[in-house]
Amino acid sequence: MEVIIVPDPAAGGELIADAMADLLRRKPDALLGVATGSTPLPVYEALAAKVRARDVDASQARICQLDEYVGLPYGHPESYRSVVLREVVEPLGLSEGAFMGPDGAAEDVAAACLAYDRALAEAGGVDLQLLGIGTDGHIGFNEPCSSLASRTRIKTLTEQTRRDNARFFDGLDEVPHHVITQGIGTILDARHLVLLATGEAKADAVAQAVEGPLSALVPASALQLHPHATVVVDEAAASRLKLADYFRATYAAKPAWQGL
């Protein structure tokens, strides 16, 4: 696992957008896995700016969803499908046909989960999966004590996660109790995992995921198992890392040819 400490969220967004752009230059039809929430917005803004400046051609890129609320009607503004289309697909100049995600409104949710896992495999797998981290250490919506081998499935949200997400709705009562999420095992299938965390509120979770033991209690610690995992954190989110100075020194001495 590589840990990169950046000055602020904008620098983290630019760094990850550069990695995505490099990937698209090597593989124009790369499948990019995206996360939702406020943390990854600087990434999407920086990548869209590169597309507008013709620094990279994203016209063949494919976008896939990490998770989705269960029960929100199609087109609901806070469904993650709507959010990803609005914040990623449209700014990159892509059509809805470039997007794939689980069907949170399906009558048979279990079948929809299996279908999405199968669709990701049939698409050739995710080339780069962007992740956030919850204050309780979750990735995707794999809440604490999720199986480290889990596949795409339905999960019940903790009250903490529902409270964290209530800012996007008209109050806590509007936040769904259930979601479809890529499982930890599904996430680990991606060729490159990039976790972005910003702000002091994420500092404890980052420290446990990076420096703590591998544990289902901290789902993000599963990144320790991945052969190509990158954790990008701003100074605030890095504030609890015991090895912060080592991580800074390692990144400063990193050969340019290695990339992100």
Side-chain angles (χ1 to χ4, degrees), residues 134-136 138 159-168 172:
T135 54
D136 59 2
H138 73 250
E159 283 306 296
Q160 179 61 56
T161 298
R162 292 183 68 242
R163 285 194 295 270
D164 288 345
N165 287 3
R167 68 190 188 278
F168 299 113
L172 181 61

Side-chain angles (χ1 to χ4, degrees), residues 226-247:
H226 199 276
H228 190 190
T230 307
V231 176
V232 180
V233 290
D234 68 358
E235 291 288 351
S239 60
R240 304 282 198 280
L241 290 172
K242 296 177 182 177
L243 296 177
D245 287 342
Y246 171 72
F247 296 139

